[in-house]
Structures are given as C-alpha cells and as structure tokens.
C-alpha cells in the first residue's frame, strides 16, 4: 500500500498504460496532495483497494473525477486517475470493459445515448429510476443515488444581443429567426450536432431556422458566442463561463432537453466486491448541486484554476477531507 493520502500511480496502474493505449486512454500523472480524513473516515474494507476513476474530457467531469478520487483516498483506497477520456462513448466503454471502476455519468446520457431510448423522461427522479433499472438489467451498471447537479443542454447568447431582440426562451429565438433568417448562426460541438438529444431533436421540436452551423470544441463555444463568432451557442447549464462571459441562457420552454443529473456509476460486480464505496460517495453526492458546481466550474474555466486543486479545496471546505 502506498503512502496514505498521496494520489500516485502504483506499478499496477502503470501497466494500465499499455492496456489502455489501444483505446486511446492514458493514465494521468499523480496528484501530489496529501489527503487526510475529515468527515470521510477510513474504511477498513477499502484499505489499499485500487480503484480507477474515469471521467470525460470537459471541466465539470474532470472536477467530479478528482472529487471522487479524493473521497476514496480519504477512505483508505488507492485511487488511480483515468480522468479526461475523450468522448462519451470512450468513457462508457472504459467502464464496461473494466478499465475504469467508477465514474460520474448523467441520467439523460445514459437513457438516450447508451440505452438507445428516444424519449426523455421529464421528471428528475423518474428519469433516474428508469435509467438505473434499465442499465443494471441490460449492462450490469449500477447508478448510485443521483445528485442535484443537472447539467442539461441549452442555447445561450450574449446579454446585450438578448436584450436588443427580447430573447428569453427558445420560442422567442424561433420567432426571431423566422423574421431574421440571416441571424441564425449557431456554434455547437460535434457530438451535439448529431446526437438525438441535441440539434436534430431540438430543431424538430421548435422548428427554428439555421443558416450556418459552426462546430467547436466544447470550451470554445462560450468565447465564440461572447466574441460574436455566432449569435447562438450550445451550452451546458452548469458551466461557469455563462456568468463569467455575461451570457444569457434561453429557457427551454417546451421542455425538450432531457434531465442530466450526475450520479456515480459502477459495474455491479465491482460494487458487490466493495460495497462500502457507496457509503463513501453518498455524502459527497448529496453536497453537490448546480450552485456548487457552477462555482467550481467558474474557478477553472473563468479564473484559470487547476481542476484538481479546485476539487481539493472544495472537499476541504466541505470538511470531507483535511
């Protein structure tokens, strides 16, 4: 067992580099943080247990991944960092294939993208219950209790543009673009442009015009909208750059976009071997909500903070670790 509280890679973890290379995954460098127990107390059953934590490749996911690693370290486990996996499908495969033992996922993504459903469920708990039942039955994936973090999609524009054209909802945008089709310039990420809960579906629901679609990496969309490269951009409702760049999120008044509550997901066989992981993660999940995660995201994407340090500072502030 490695020194308590320091997130370093064991020799076993280093061997994962070769195993994951074929899928484009890389075990990340260690976090030089000493993690001591706070309200999360050492769990004898988890002492020295190696748990690989994954995440997708955007800020919120990386922060959540580090939060999980810090919690597990405080409980006595040896956390291996496999955050920042490129793309939802790759991160999902890593979990199913056993390259990752634990990662945060979103209920809407699980229901629509992984389970192939075409109709989201509007209510948070009902959506969580449906995806957790189906994913366990079909794929052996357990969803731990969901958090209040609901990172769904939305369209945003600048506050000045919205005020000038009296835009508050997607229906307002649709009416405006019907009268001003040359203004229908959208910035979206590549995945959103084609996924069923993205651009194709929302266009069918609202019927708005699109003159030009520009694709960007997720992080570039916010500055592209703020800088006038496009008039409307796909955003995530918990992203800190919304406040930092003075953007206005348009309300999804027809309730098209699904619920995207964040929850810890694990393979049932791994959780059955180490059931106390659920106890460790429960209070952390309960402490998270949109207000908390927006501020954490802002500290990275607006203020330039390091995701691992932002996660550490939040865990300390909440008393989970010392």
């Amino acid at each position: 067992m490695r020194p308590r509280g320091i997130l370093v890679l064991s020799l076993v973890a280093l061997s994962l580099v070769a195993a994951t290379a074929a899928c484009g995954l890389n075990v990340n460098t260690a976090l030089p943080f000493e993690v001591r127990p706070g309200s999360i107390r050492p769990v004898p059953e988890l002492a020295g247990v190696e748990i690989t934590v994954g995440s997708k490749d955007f800020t919120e996911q990386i922060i959540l991944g580090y939060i999980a690693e810090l919690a597990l370290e405080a409980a006595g486990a040896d956390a291996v960092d496999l955050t920042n996996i490129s793309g939802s499908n790759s991160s999902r495969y890593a979990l199913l294939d056993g390259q990752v033992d634990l990662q945060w996922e979103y209920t809407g993504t699980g229901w629509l993208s992984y389970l192939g459903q075409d109709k989201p469920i509007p209510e948070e708990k009902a959506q969580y219950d449906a995806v957790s039942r189906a994913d366990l039955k079909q794929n052996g994936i357990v969803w731990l209790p969901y958090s209040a973090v609901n990172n769904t999609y939305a369209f945003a524009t600048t506050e000045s543009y919205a005020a000038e054209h009296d835009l508050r909802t997607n229906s307002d945008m649709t009416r405006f673009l019907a009268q001003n089709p040359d203004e229908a310039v959208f910035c979206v990420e590549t995945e959103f442009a084609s996924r069923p809960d993205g651009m194709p579906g929302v266009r069918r629901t609202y019927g708005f015009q699109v003159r030009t679609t520009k694709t960007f990496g997720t992080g570039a969309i916010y500055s592209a909208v703020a800088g006038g490269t496009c008039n409307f951009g796909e955003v995530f409702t918990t992203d800190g750059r919304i406040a930092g760049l003075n953007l206005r999120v348009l309300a999804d008044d027809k309730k098209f976009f699904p619920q995207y509550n964040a929850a810890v997901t694990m393979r049932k066989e791994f959780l059955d071997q180490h059931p106390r992981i659920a106890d460790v993660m429960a209070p952390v999940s309960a402490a998270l909500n949109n207000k908390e995660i927006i501020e954490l995201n802002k500290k990275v994407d607006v203020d330039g903070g390091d995701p691992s340090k932002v996660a550490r500072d939040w865990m300390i502030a909440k008393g989970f670790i010392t």
Side-chain angles (χ1 to χ4, degrees):
M1 176 174 158
R2 55 191 167 81
R4 253 314 358 96
I6 302 176
L7 299 182
V8 295
L9 297 177
S10 65
L11 292 175
V12 174
L14 288 173
S15 69
L16 283 172
V17 174
T20 59
C23 297
L25 308 182
N26 292 293
V27 177
N28 294 331
T29 55
L31 294 174
F33 300 150
E34 289 196 8
V35 182
R36 298 185 180 90
S39 61
I40 296 176
R41 305 305 303 166
V43 177
E45 296 91 334
L46 295 179
V49 174
E50 188 173 276
I51 303 172
T52 302
V53 177
S55 85
K56 304 176 193 181
D57 58 347
F58 58 90
T59 296
E60 180 171 300
Q61 273 275 300
I62 295 169
I63 291 172
L64 289 172
Y66 285 137
I67 284 173
E69 290 178 22
L70 293 162
L72 294 168
E73 286 278 327
D78 287 347
V80 176
D81 181 18
L82 198 58
T83 55
N84 201 23
I85 299 171
S86 179
S88 296
N89 289 336
S90 295
S91 66
R92 170 71 170 187
Y93 177 79
L95 179 67
L96 292 172
D97 193 47
Q99 298 175 70
V100 161
D101 300 314
L102 178 154
Q103 66 183 17
W104 294 81
E105 190 51 87
Y106 301 96
T107 53
T109 303
W111 184 244
L112 295 161
S113 296
Y114 303 150
L115 296 174
Q117 300 293 324
D118 57 4
K119 292 183 179 179
I121 299 172
E123 196 273 321
E124 287 186 4
K125 186 176 186 303
Q127 179 65 93
Y128 165 80
D129 288 343
V131 73
S132 60
R133 284 195 300 266
D135 212 9
L136 178 60
K137 181 178 180 180
Q138 296 180 31
N139 302 302
I141 299 297
V142 175
W143 291 66
L144 299 186
Y146 71 94
S147 73
V149 171
N150 191 347
N151 188 3
T152 191
Y153 291 110
F155 289 116
T157 186
T158 63
E159 278 288 352
S160 59
Y161 190 90
E164 179 183 357
H165 302 295
D166 194 24
L167 304 177
R168 298 186 179 277
T169 69
N170 287 345
S171 291
D172 292 339
M173 178 185 72
T174 300
R175 288 188 290 270
F176 170 70
L177 294 179
Q179 298 173 358
N180 303 275
D182 287 346
E183 297 292 296
V185 180
F186 287 80
C187 288
V188 301
E189 61 177 337
T190 302
E191 190 172 319
F192 182 85
S194 59
R195 56 190 290 165
D197 53 341
M199 199 62 152
V202 73
R203 285 192 66 189
R204 284 194 299 271
T205 298
Y206 286 95
F208 56 80
Q209 304 280 335
V210 175
R211 181 176 71 83
T212 303
T213 299
K214 301 179 181 182
T215 55
F216 288 84
T218 303
I221 292 174
Y222 298 84
S223 57
V225 174
T229 299
C230 34
N231 294 322
F232 303 95
E234 163 221 346
V235 298
F236 295 106
T237 53
T238 59
D239 199 291
R241 287 165 289 196
I242 292 168
L245 295 172
N246 200 29
L247 304 181
R248 179 184 295 184
V249 174
L250 302 180
D252 179 20
D253 52 307
K254 291 188 177 181
K255 305 295 183 185
F256 166 77
F257 289 119
Q259 304 297 324
Y260 283 88
N261 289 94
V264 171
T265 58
M266 304 178 65
R267 294 184 312 284
K268 183 178 185 299
E269 61 181 355
F270 191 82
L271 183 60
D272 286 348
Q273 293 170 7
H274 310 291
R276 294 297 305 278
I277 293 174
D279 299 330
V280 172
M281 296 306 303
V284 176
S285 183
L288 287 163
N289 54 45
N290 275 14
K291 182 179 179 181
E292 296 283 347
I293 201 68
I294 285 171
E295 182 59 28
L296 295 180
N297 291 337
K298 179 178 179 292
K299 287 179 178 179
V300 174
D301 291 326
V302 178
D303 302 336
D306 180 271
S308 62
K309 294 178 181 177
V310 168
R312 176 200 59 187
D313 292 347
W314 183 81
M315 291 287 285
I316 292 171
K318 293 296 179 182
F320 292 125
I321 66 174
T322 57

